[in-house]
Amino acid sequence: MRKNPLRKYVREEKLPHMFCPGCGCGQILNTFLQVVDELEIDLDSMVAIGGVGCTARIPVYIKSDVLHGVHGRTLAWATGIKLHKPQTRIVIFAGDGDAAAIGGNHFLQAARRNLDVTMIVVNNFNFAMTGGQVAPMTPPAAITMTTPYGSGEPPFDLCKVAEAAGASYVARAATPFQPLMNKLMKVALLHEGFSVLEILSQCPTHFGRYALNTGQPQKVFDWVRSICVTSKQTESMSSEELKGKIILGEFVNKKRPIFEGSSVYREGGQA
Ligand SMILES: Cc1ncc(C[n+]2csc(CCOP(=O)(O)OP(=O)(O)O)c2C)c(N)n1
């Protein structure tokens, strides 16, 4: 049987992977490996970092150096590695809980400093690995394991938070929009400075089971598609039509001095 050409980038000894059937993490890993291939990224000079969670397992399957550590602290390691070896490419895979809850303050400071790393935040709308608890980006009124009567808290928009904190590249993709995800991931990886790519993704096992509550958790993929609009589509939509929708596309792409150590900044950076 013909081997998938992307298998050469996979850490074979870690297979089979631990993702649930239908989880978006597999699709995101596959897209990342496609992008590695297309951009000819040298995995020998890259460190993939994950904290804790389903998303954080993505790096484990990548044949680069990998750091799989504790929840919410990916950016602390990234800072250490980047300062010690500035030429290293660093790619972080973090869940929405990892990036926006326990790691929230680290996220703000890395954006403010313009640390030269790419952070891929997989927003599956809940704390998945621990069983589907409510998280900072759970939609309003959604039923989760810990909000049986619906979430009463407004979610926040991580892309707007990243922009306000100073990130020099900010974009949002979603798993049902594969070509857009591939395109934005490439730009994020080529960007110099703090680049944030949020990816809306499906979690059939927990979010799909609780929030949809239809006995068909796999339909969460269609649900993700249904809440997305591209920034182009928004041009012809009224504010009424935009209610409950999440916008995909590029929000920030600019040059800013890049953090290289205490009070040391590198000018420029590719926008
Ligand atoms: C310091 C710490 N707090 C809490 C946990 C428990 N924990 C493990 S995975 C997880 C949820 C991860 O959710 P998220 O970061 O959104 O990633 P996902 O699993 O949804 O991809 C939590 C709370 C932990 N391992 N360490």
Side-chain angles (χ1 to χ4, degrees), residues 9 36 78 95 120 153:
Y9 305 120
V36 163
I120 296 175
E153 298 167 10

Side-chain angles (χ1 to χ4, degrees), residues 7 22 39 43-44 48 54 62 99 116 132 197 224 228 234 242 257 263 266:
R7 277 293 273 263
L39 296 180
L43 289 187
D44 286 339
C54 304
I62 301 172
D116 186 20
L197 176 64
V224 174
C228 293
T234 61
L242 278 170
S263 306
R266 167 159 52 97

Side-chain angles (χ1 to χ4, degrees), residues 190-243:
L190 291 174
H191 182 81
E192 289 180 54
F194 193 56
S195 57
V196 179
L197 176 64
E198 178 187 351
I199 304 179
L200 307 183
S201 178
Q202 70 278 14
C203 167
T205 300
H206 298 299
F207 191 75
R209 176 159 54 117
Y210 289 111
L212 301 186
N213 199 19
T214 56
Q216 292 190 299
Q218 75 280 11
K219 298 266 183 203
V220 69
F221 184 74
D222 298 329
W223 174 82
V224 174
R225 190 202 312 273
S226 74
I227 60 165
C228 293
V229 289
T230 60
S231 39
K232 183 106 192 89
Q233 287 172 311
T234 61
E235 289 165 16
S236 58
M237 289 174 78
S238 66
S239 49
E240 199 53 39
E241 287 170 318
L242 278 170
K243 265 198 191 137

Side-chain angles (χ1 to χ4, degrees), residues 132 134 138-153 210-211 213:
V134 69
T138 302
I143 294 175
T144 69
M145 191 229 234
T146 45
T147 55
Y149 305 110
S151 169
E153 298 167 10
Y210 289 111
N213 199 19

Side-chain angles (χ1 to χ4, degrees), residues 96-159:
D96 46 318
D98 199 317
I102 193 167
N105 190 29
H106 289 220
F107 184 82
L108 297 180
Q109 308 312 324
R112 182 178 63 80
R113 285 175 166 161
N114 204 23
L115 183 70
D116 186 20
V117 308
T118 303
M119 186 160 186
I120 296 175
V121 180
V122 178
N123 179 4
N124 56 18
F125 307 97
N126 69 161
F127 286 104
M129 183 170 264
T130 36
Q133 295 86 356
V134 69
M137 286 185 282
T138 302
I143 294 175
T144 69
M145 191 229 234
T146 45
T147 55
Y149 305 110
S151 169
E153 298 167 10
F156 62 54
D157 180 330
L158 193 71
C159 289

